[in-house]
Amino acid sequence: MKDFIIPWDDADMGTPAREGPPVTLTIDGFDVTVPEGTSVMRAAAEAGLQIPKLCASDNMEAFGSCRLCAVEIEGRRGTPASCTTPVTPGMVVHTQTPKIVKLRRSVMELYISDHPLDCLTCSANGDCELQDMAGMVGLRDVRYRAPAGRDAANHFRTRDTSGQVNPAYIPKDESNPYFTYDPAKCIVCSRCVRACDEVQGTFALTIEGRGFDSRVSFGARTDDALASDCVSCGACVQACPTATLQEKSVIELGTPQRSVITTCAYCGVGCSFKAELNGDRLVRMVPYKHGKANRGHSCVKGRFAYGYANHKDRILNPMIRDRIDQPWREVGWDEALTFAARRMRGLQDRYGRNSIGVITSSRSTNEETYLVQKLARAVFRNNNTDTCARVCHSPTGYGLGQAFGTSAGTQDFDSVAHADVVVVIGANPTDGHPVFASRLKKRLRQGARLIVIDPRRIDLVKSPHIRAAHHLPLRPGTNVAVVTAMAHVIVTEGLMDQAFIRERCDWDEFQDYAAFVADPRHSPEATAMLTGVNPDDLRAAARLYATGGNGAIYYGLGVTEHSQGSTTVMGIANLAMLTGNIGRPGVGVNPLRGQNNVQGSCDMGSFPHELPGYRHVKNPDVRAIFEEAWGVPIDPEPGLRIPNMLDAAVEGTFKGLYCQGEDILQSDPDTKHVAAGLAAMECVIVHDLFLNETANYAHVFLPGSTFLEKDGTFTNAERRINRVRRVMAPRNGYADWEVTQLLANAMGAGWTYTHPAQIMDEIAATTPSFAGVDYALLEEKGSVQWPCNEAHPEGTPLMHVDGFVRGRGRFIVTEYVATDERTGPRFPLLLTTGRILSQYNVGAQTRRTENVVWHAEDVLEIHPHDAEVRGVSDGDWVHLASRAGETSLRAVLTDRVSPGVVYTTFHHPDTQANVITTDYSDWATNCPEYKVTAVQVRLSNGPTDWQEGYNAHAERARRILAAE
Amino acid sequence: MSPDKMIHMANQIAVFFRTQPGHDQARKVADHLTDFWEPRMRRQLHAHVASGGAGLDPLVLQAAASMKPPAVEAG
């Protein structure tokens, strides 16, 4: 296997790139031209001349502390640090004069005088900048000698020669599960502290003490790495030039010798990583500096939480059973596939062509998703295909499609660096999209202003060096009222961008819309009783968004997962069009996608009403394209969506399901209804890494492969198509696209793909927005953003620049309609759900990593007032009940939630938060209303009978007969 | 699907389109149902309308009257 490494220079240029007019200078006799503001260090690096350095790194501002990068500049006194000295025209720089060489050697000698000389056994051996620099400056001796009878003061010996304890020695901190902090090896370059501040934006690290006593510290003296504010993003570990902050995996496995660039399989940010390996043993994942989504940054999930790939729970052999009350029987692939194919065809024979369907995965690649929907359309010959995007961003698809004509975010992530006012609605980026959050926080620290619209006081509202200008803590379920009230302020106060509206939008529709929102019943004052939002704050927020410069809206599932999810998406599009915040850097409407390939799974035609590229199946011209490519007629009627499949199953007309990489039993609402639907089916095929909760109701289990084990592409929230590259062989024997092909062929499809590149070619041939995409282009460019076709051969970072995809932008009237899920005497509180940084979705992956140290169970956040009247104290077991079901979990008292609102996560099957959520859904798309459930909370003694019964059933359902 | 759920979902669609300007709300409801509801869901709707349509928003009834019931699945 040949590793593919994009041949771009990965070298550290020392200081960040600048933009500005060109400046020419001379370094060591070479003329160099760089943008104004560039450092001498970076200019030298551009010319291929490396200046020694220890404290500088091109992902953070110059600091000028290590003194190793000193240079001489003609006409200037002394030896300035090249990292902090900007270039000037005509400057003449010398980097290797005898004076400089001697100075650097002396500086290095001082560093090494307080550093252990255990290089051969050091975990950073071969990957240590201190070692490299000692070599580069030609250090040959350390002349500092201890005074007679005692050691020289140092930080690395535990005891001196007389056996006295060294008070300056601090033992290694191994509290973080993924990296160690060994103060004995620290050179106090401050790179870790600056990475935490500038790159991640958490400010967990600091330098305490002065001079020789300076030490890196995780906050208070009593804090270790785990107890501190550290979010384990890995930026400090990456920044550390020595073994001070080091991945435990490198300590255990040694320095990696090869690397493959690939894409993270967690959230919709889609970070690029270098998978670093020895042989097929993954040693570490390092964020790739040329990754355009993440620009060299990462979070705890992508950087460290990959251990699930080798977890003992992973199932590697196919299994079947006749009935779900039987134990599983391990069989060969042929037997499993024949069993599955025969059952599925048998169901179609008995119950009709439309009695079976598929669920594609938002975690699988585009190519795999494309094949699964093709399986439904070309082999099952129906449109019963849906995807987990149904339960997260289907309203984005519908809402933005109606307003703009295309169902995707308008910007790239780089755009946030040009935003002046950022509105975050129903999203919690520091937990859900952490790398984007770091980029956003960087911009906020530079002075951009922030408006948060969320029932909960999320971390962004107030965290170190970040404070939202406005937090509108709305009552769950009133998004439309709030967004419409903002539009009311903008229209009635005349803050619209009339020129933009006249030029770009449908003027008649705007007139209708303006008349609608101008009605006093939409004013912040009139709706305050309903929304709970202070009208003055709302007015101020609306004015700020309309007049504060580039306004960018980022939103998440707090917008979509409501009865009026689609309406809120349209309302957001209205706000952006009203204020002209579309079509240039720094503005836009940006859905933050949940899973890694939600965007891609939607693009690939996973929805039951549309073929790849968002084209309705009713259109004969679109069907003709696929009928020709696939050689079968395509059903012109829309198929069943996930909730409809379950309803039809309970009814007895939907009997078989192939579910790839999704755990609908845990992730979908109203668990009891999902279980009833699954139990009523006669053939459930689960294709996954683990025996997930859905597999408790499955008849066939097809083992899946991880993102490390296959080739393909993921499309992130900015429409960026990123390559996923196979770094090791699939432990289960087949990549997931091969498994789907085997199943299709067992049903007589006759597919002959031998590489995912061929599947992408088929996508490009049939789907206009992907027409220019192929693997060769992705190798060349690294990634592209669709649309990528003849009109945009290199992809499209910004959409709707000169006009909307649909022509004129549509203003759509957004009347607030209260959800029917209402509080009352029985269920007086509103439950809203979300997620947490260290865990991902149903937790199937992250629960099988060390990430559980941060979040071992789901807890219920409740306001102290609501807790007090119920006699609930912090940490108590509480019983949480809705009209749909009940569960128990521990309470955490916090004023992050308002009185009347409670909050939990859904990462753990022991809690099954979704047994509480109801079957109400978005009016347009059936996206479930996860974010509003009327509940009651009371003290309890522990898990409910339902939880215990569920766990007992799950344990029975997971029995596997030993192979004969 | 339970009749209550079907009625609730259909009425939600009607409630949205009723708020939209113009005079063709019933057609918009009918289009939405035809575009997004699988035939057996539409058949259930038509059957419910045929048996009196209790609980359905008048706009849904109007829309249903203009929709062609989907053909019964041919195996």
Side-chain angles (χ1 to χ4, degrees):
Chain A
M1 188 179 83
K2 181 181 158 290
D3 288 348
F4 179 81
I5 300 174
I6 294 176
W8 291 333
D9 191 1
D10 218 3
D12 188 331
M13 308 299 279
T15 62
R18 294 283 185 251
E19 286 173 8
V23 172
T24 301
L25 69 159
T26 307
I27 306 178
D28 293 344
F30 296 96
D31 282 348
V32 190
T33 303
V34 291
E36 188 179 70
T38 303
S39 69
V40 170
M41 175 183 278
R42 188 176 178 104
E46 302 274 2
L49 304 166
Q50 195 192 344
I51 298 175
K53 65 181 182 62
L54 281 169
C55 73
S57 179
D58 60 10
N59 63 343
M60 49 185 101
E61 293 301 320
F63 194 56
S65 90
C66 77
R67 313 307 302 172
L68 208 59
C69 72
V71 291
E72 286 196 273
I73 298 172
E74 287 183 14
R76 293 201 191 183
R77 281 182 301 174
T79 52
S82 63
C83 63
T84 52
T85 306
V87 295
T88 55
M91 183 184 251
V92 179
V93 180
H94 299 284
T95 75
Q96 294 292 340
T97 64
K99 185 178 171 184
I100 290 292
V101 167
K102 194 173 165 200
L103 175 69
R104 286 192 192 131
R105 209 171 279 169
S106 298
V107 169
M108 203 65 208
E109 192 176 355
L110 274 165
Y111 272 115
I112 299 302
S113 71
D114 187 15
H115 194 84
L117 298 176
D118 60 351
C119 290
L120 284 181
T121 53
C122 176
S123 57
N125 187 17
D127 185 23
C128 172
E129 292 179 41
L130 190 66
Q131 202 175 43
D132 297 345
M133 291 304 123
M136 191 176 172
V137 304
L139 183 70
R140 298 292 172 252
D141 190 20
V142 176
R143 293 165 297 171
Y144 298 97
R145 299 282 175 257
R150 61 185 174 89
D151 273 352
N154 70 80
H155 295 99
F156 63 90
R157 289 203 182 91
T158 51
R159 290 173 187 278
D160 68 15
T161 44
S162 64
Q164 288 292 309
V165 169
N166 175 6
Y169 174 80
I170 301 174
K172 209 171 181 176
D173 176 349
E174 301 192 85
S175 59
N176 185 292
Y178 297 120
F179 64 84
T180 62
Y181 166 48
D182 185 356
K185 303 228 158 135
C186 180
I187 59 169
V188 202
C189 64
S190 296
R191 270 162 72 164
C192 53
V193 177
R194 288 147 58 216
C196 192
D197 297 357
E198 294 178 30
V199 179
Q200 164 57 26
T202 292
F203 296 82
L205 286 164
T206 189
I207 302 286
E208 63 170 41
R210 311 183 68 166
F212 192 73
D213 294 330
S214 302
R215 310 303 288 266
V216 171
S217 161
F218 282 90
R221 221 168 251 272
T222 49
D223 280 349
D224 58 19
L226 190 63
S228 73
D229 288 345
C230 169
V231 293
S232 198
C233 69
C236 58
V237 180
Q238 197 184 337
C240 182
T242 68
T244 309
L245 288 156
Q246 178 90 60
E247 296 92 347
K248 286 182 176 174
S249 60
V250 173
I251 296 173
E252 189 192 329
L253 301 169
T255 329
Q257 298 301 314
R258 70 181 184 100
S259 71
V260 182
I261 292 158
T262 191
T263 304
C264 178
Y266 282 116
C267 79
V269 177
C271 297
S272 298
F273 276 88
K274 285 202 296 188
E276 299 192 343
L277 306 97
N278 283 323
D280 68 348
R281 188 74 193 260
L282 183 60
V283 178
R284 66 179 168 189
M285 297 286 281
V286 182
Y288 179 49
K289 76 185 279 190
H290 296 297
K292 288 176 187 155
N294 55 318
R295 302 285 178 193
H297 190 38
S298 61
C299 80
V300 61
K301 294 190 284 279
R303 178 82 152 92
F304 295 118
Y306 51 80
Y308 65 86
N310 287 312
H311 193 275
K312 64 179 170 49
D313 288 353
R314 188 155 164 210
I315 305 287
L316 300 173
N317 295 305
M319 303 191 295
I320 57 173
R321 59 186 171 191
D322 279 318
R323 295 194 319 270
I324 57 172
D325 59 355
Q326 294 174 330
W328 285 105
R329 193 159 61 83
E330 282 191 359
V331 295
W333 280 98
D334 279 348
E335 187 177 348
L337 292 161
T338 309
F339 178 90
R342 201 170 285 160
R343 277 213 167 189
M344 292 297 250
R345 281 294 188 221
L347 291 173
Q348 285 190 301
D349 291 343
R350 243 175 307 148
Y351 301 104
R353 184 162 53 83
N354 295 329
S355 64
I356 63 174
V358 301
I359 297 178
T360 76
S361 176
S362 296
R363 300 180 202 178
S364 295
T365 64
N366 285 317
E367 293 77 4
E368 287 162 347
T369 303
Y370 177 87
L371 284 196
V372 176
Q373 63 87 33
K374 180 175 173 180
L375 174 71
R377 294 194 157 113
V379 182
F380 297 177
R381 302 274 306 281
N382 63 39
N383 285 311
N384 291 332
T385 168
D386 206 0
T387 184
C388 16
R390 172 66 50 211
V391 301
C392 67
H393 266 293
S394 50
T396 292
Y398 181 79
L400 296 186
Q402 294 290 312
F404 300 154
T406 188
S407 152
T410 61
Q411 311 296 110
D412 57 6
F413 285 134
D414 286 349
S415 164
V416 77
H418 304 280
D420 298 310
V421 179
V422 176
V423 187
V424 173
I425 312 183
N428 185 8
T430 53
D431 284 68
H433 303 86
V435 170
F436 166 71
S438 290
R439 300 186 69 177
L440 166 61
K441 289 202 286 188
K442 189 172 192 168
R443 182 62 188 158
L444 295 173
R445 289 195 303 275
Q446 291 167 350
R449 283 171 294 174
L450 174 69
I451 298 164
V452 173
I453 305 178
D454 201 288
R456 231 171 128 244
R457 194 181 68 237
I458 58 172
D459 283 351
L460 273 182
V461 173
K462 191 172 179 299
S463 58
H465 299 276
I466 302 290
R467 185 179 290 237
H470 303 282
H471 174 215
L472 311 182
L474 77 179
R475 198 173 153 76
T478 61
N479 287 329
V480 170
V482 169
V483 167
T484 306
M486 285 181 74
H488 171 89
V489 175
I490 292 168
V491 168
T492 55
E493 297 188 8
L495 308 176
M496 317 75 98
D497 183 342
Q498 293 244 20
F500 179 92
I501 298 167
R502 275 194 184 277
E503 189 190 326
R504 302 282 303 271
C505 303
D506 186 304
W507 185 252
D508 290 340
E509 278 174 336
F510 169 69
Q511 298 285 319
D512 286 337
Y513 176 74
F516 162 78
V517 291
D519 191 317
R521 70 197 169 90
H522 298 303
S523 73
E525 293 73 18
T527 51
M529 283 298 283
L530 188 72
T531 62
V533 175
N534 179 315
D536 296 338
D537 279 352
L538 196 152
R539 278 190 185 273
R543 288 170 193 147
L544 176 59
Y545 172 68
T547 62
N550 285 339
I553 301 178
Y554 292 86
Y555 72 88
L557 306 184
V559 160
T560 54
E561 289 174 349
H562 288 277
S563 285
Q564 281 199 290
S566 292
T567 315
T568 309
V569 173
M570 296 171 193
I572 287 171
N574 290 338
L575 286 179
M577 289 188 290
L578 269 182
T579 52
N581 278 314
I582 289 282
R584 61 180 191 277
V587 299
V589 174
N590 305 280
L592 292 170
R593 304 278 181 163
Q595 302 196 48
N596 51 322
N597 203 34
V598 171
Q599 181 71 54
S601 70
C602 298
D603 301 341
M604 290 299 105
S606 294
F607 287 142
H609 66 282
E610 55 195 15
L611 285 154
Y614 304 98
R615 292 166 295 168
H616 204 285
V617 293
K618 70 184 175 186
N619 297 317
D621 55 329
V622 180
R623 286 202 309 279
I625 296 168
F626 291 92
E627 286 171 347
E628 197 189 322
W630 297 344
V632 291
I634 309 268
D635 188 337
E637 288 283 4
L640 294 166
R641 301 169 287 195
I642 295 172
N644 312 145
M645 289 180 190
L646 295 164
D647 287 331
V650 171
E651 218 168 61
T653 63
F654 188 80
K655 291 290 190 179
L657 177 68
Y658 169 45
C659 181
Q660 182 181 67
E662 186 181 1
D663 191 358
I664 56 170
L665 186 62
Q666 193 181 336
S667 66
D668 286 29
D670 196 1
T671 309
K672 288 178 184 171
H673 180 65
V674 179
L678 288 168
M681 294 184 204
E682 293 178 22
C683 183
V684 174
I685 306 168
V686 167
H687 179 180
D688 210 297
L689 300 174
F690 303 105
L691 276 175
N692 60 20
E693 305 308 307
T694 306
N696 297 342
Y697 292 87
H699 306 83
V700 180
F701 185 90
L702 301 176
S705 52
T706 71
F707 76 112
L708 298 166
E709 300 166 346
K710 58 194 181 188
D711 282 301
T713 55
F714 291 150
T715 307
N716 74 356
E718 42 167 13
R719 297 170 277 105
R720 185 180 302 287
I721 306 162
N722 265 316
R723 275 282 274 127
V724 178
R725 293 189 176 86
R726 177 174 143 148
V727 305
M728 59 179 73
R731 292 185 64 216
N732 57 321
Y734 292 108
D736 293 325
W737 62 270
E738 294 176 288
V739 175
T740 303
Q741 172 160 281
L742 288 168
L743 177 62
N745 288 346
M747 296 181 73
W751 295 350
T752 56
Y753 304 104
T754 57
H755 192 274
Q758 298 158 352
I759 306 171
M760 182 54 85
D761 291 343
E762 184 174 316
I763 296 164
T766 50
T767 308
S769 50
F770 278 69
V773 181
D774 64 24
Y775 277 33
L777 181 77
L778 295 172
E779 304 292 85
E780 185 195 326
K781 302 279 175 207
S783 64
V784 288
Q785 288 169 272
W786 67 257
C788 175
N789 48 31
E790 217 171 306
H792 308 278
E794 299 197 352
T796 312
L798 297 178
M799 291 197 82
H800 317 299
V801 173
D802 299 315
F804 288 102
V805 168
R806 68 178 305 280
R808 293 197 164 265
R810 277 188 67 201
F811 282 95
I812 300 170
V813 166
T814 54
E815 184 77 63
Y816 168 72
V817 180
T819 169
D820 290 313
E821 183 67 16
R822 287 181 190 150
T823 54
R826 277 181 69 206
F827 302 114
L829 302 170
L830 284 180
L831 171 74
T832 184
T833 59
R835 56 178 161 167
I836 202 161
L837 171 66
S838 57
Q839 299 286 348
Y840 177 70
N841 202 271
V842 295
Q845 292 141 293
T846 44
R847 277 186 285 111
R848 292 179 172 96
T849 69
E850 302 282 347
N851 277 27
V852 290
V853 304
W854 287 283
H855 184 81
E857 58 183 321
D858 295 320
V859 296
L860 185 77
E861 288 187 4
I862 182 167
H863 191 276
H865 291 172
D866 291 325
E868 191 181 6
V869 297
R870 289 168 175 79
V872 172
S873 307
D874 202 57
D876 281 350
W877 275 95
V878 291
H879 180 263
L880 175 70
S882 73
R883 65 182 169 85
E886 57 188 35
T887 188
S888 281
L889 67 175
R890 287 178 203 276
V892 168
L893 273 51
T894 173
D895 64 357
R896 264 175 188 258
V897 288
S898 305
V901 177
V902 292
Y903 168 87
T904 190
T905 49
F906 63 101
H907 301 306
H908 291 271
D910 296 341
T911 329
Q912 285 284 17
N914 281 321
V915 75
I916 303 297
T917 51
T918 70
D919 62 355
Y920 283 149
S921 65
D922 173 49
W923 67 267
T925 66
N926 267 171
C927 178
E929 186 166 57
Y930 288 105
K931 300 294 184 182
V932 190
T933 309
V935 294
Q936 179 58 297
V937 173
R938 62 174 166 79
L939 272 173
S940 84
N941 295 321
T944 60
D945 291 348
W946 183 84
Q947 279 166 293
E948 286 177 354
Y950 179 89
N951 284 335
H953 172 258
E955 202 167 307
R956 270 199 315 282
R958 289 199 177 107
R959 287 170 302 156
I960 301 174
L961 282 182
E964 285 163 23
Chain B
M1 145 172 56
S2 79
D4 287 350
K5 189 167 171 180
M6 190 263 298
I7 294 163
H8 187 258
M9 278 165 49
N11 289 352
Q12 275 183 294
I13 295 166
V15 165
F16 176 81
F17 285 107
R18 175 174 299 109
T19 66
Q20 298 305 301
H23 304 287
D24 55 352
Q25 287 94 345
R27 185 184 58 76
K28 286 175 175 162
V29 171
D31 287 349
H32 190 91
L33 290 167
T34 313
D35 281 355
F36 296 102
W37 280 32
E38 200 257 2
R40 69 195 95 168
M41 297 164 67
R42 272 147 48 208
R43 278 197 290 272
Q44 186 183 355
L45 176 69
H46 283 291
H48 186 72
V49 171
S51 66
L56 283 174
D57 189 296
L59 204 51
V60 176
L61 293 173
Q62 223 180 313
S66 72
M67 289 159 62
K68 208 173 92 189
V72 176
E73 183 185 340

